[in-house]
Amino acid sequence: MRRYLVVANQTLCGEALFAELRARAEGGPCSFHLVVPATHPHELSNHIERHARDQAQQRLDAALARLADVDAEVTGEVGDASPILAIQDALIAREADEIILSTLPAGVSRWLRRDLPHRVERRFELPLILVVAQEEPAHQ
C-alpha cells in the first residue's frame, strides 16, 4: 500500500488537490495523511496563532468530510506553522512513501517564494508531488 503525506493549507479543499488524491486512490491501495500547517500571514500574537489553528482545523475537517468517499484510508492533523516542522513532526509519527505538497500559484504563494518544494525534497529525501492550485483563494 502506498502511503502519502499530503501537505496543504489554503489549497487543501481545492479541486486540483482532490483530483490528484482521487487519481492516486484509483491507481491502487493507498493511504493519505493530511497535514495542515497552521500558517497565518501575520503570525504576531497568540490570538492570531489560535485563529490560524482554528482555520487550519476547519479546512482539515472539510477535507476529511469531502474525502470520505475515496477508496483509501484518510487521516489528518493540524501541524506546526512551519511547513517543514509540520512535515517533520508527521514523519516522526508515521512513515510515508511520497509527499504531496499543494500550494497557491506562483506570484501568490509564500511557499513557492520560499522555495518550499525544493527544501522539502532535500530535507526529507522522499519523492515530492507538487500540486499548484489553478485559482487564487486568498494569501498563503
Side-chain angles (χ1 to χ4, degrees), residues 45-61:
S45 71
N46 288 337
H47 171 73
I48 291 174
E49 182 177 334
R50 280 192 305 275
H51 179 68
R53 290 194 73 75
D54 290 346
Q55 282 187 323
Q57 186 65 55
Q58 289 170 5
R59 286 185 184 112
L60 176 60
D61 292 344

Side-chain angles (χ1 to χ4, degrees), residues 15-48:
E15 290 305 318
L17 181 58
F18 281 132
E20 181 69 33
L21 300 183
R22 289 186 197 291
R24 299 279 169 180
E26 290 169 3
C30 64
S31 66
F32 302 109
H33 183 70
L34 311 179
V35 175
V36 186
T39 59
H40 193 278
H42 305 287
E43 299 168 294
L44 300 174
S45 71
N46 288 337
H47 171 73
I48 291 174

Side-chain angles (χ1 to χ4, degrees), residues 66-129:
R66 188 165 175 197
L67 291 169
D69 67 338
V70 171
D71 188 22
E73 176 186 340
V74 183
T75 58
E77 66 182 279
V78 172
D80 191 273
S82 161
I84 294 286
L85 292 178
I87 293 168
Q88 179 179 300
D89 291 345
L91 290 174
I92 289 170
R94 70 195 31 80
E95 293 183 19
D97 299 304
E98 293 183 59
I99 297 172
I100 299 174
L101 179 68
S102 178
T103 184
L104 295 170
V108 178
S109 173
R110 288 188 304 151
W111 288 3
L112 291 179
R113 277 194 306 273
R114 294 177 180 169
D115 199 25
L116 184 62
H118 294 112
R119 290 173 47 219
V120 168
E121 284 179 311
R122 285 190 305 267
R123 173 93 179 248
F124 301 106
E125 298 180 351
L126 288 170
L128 178 75
I129 301 155

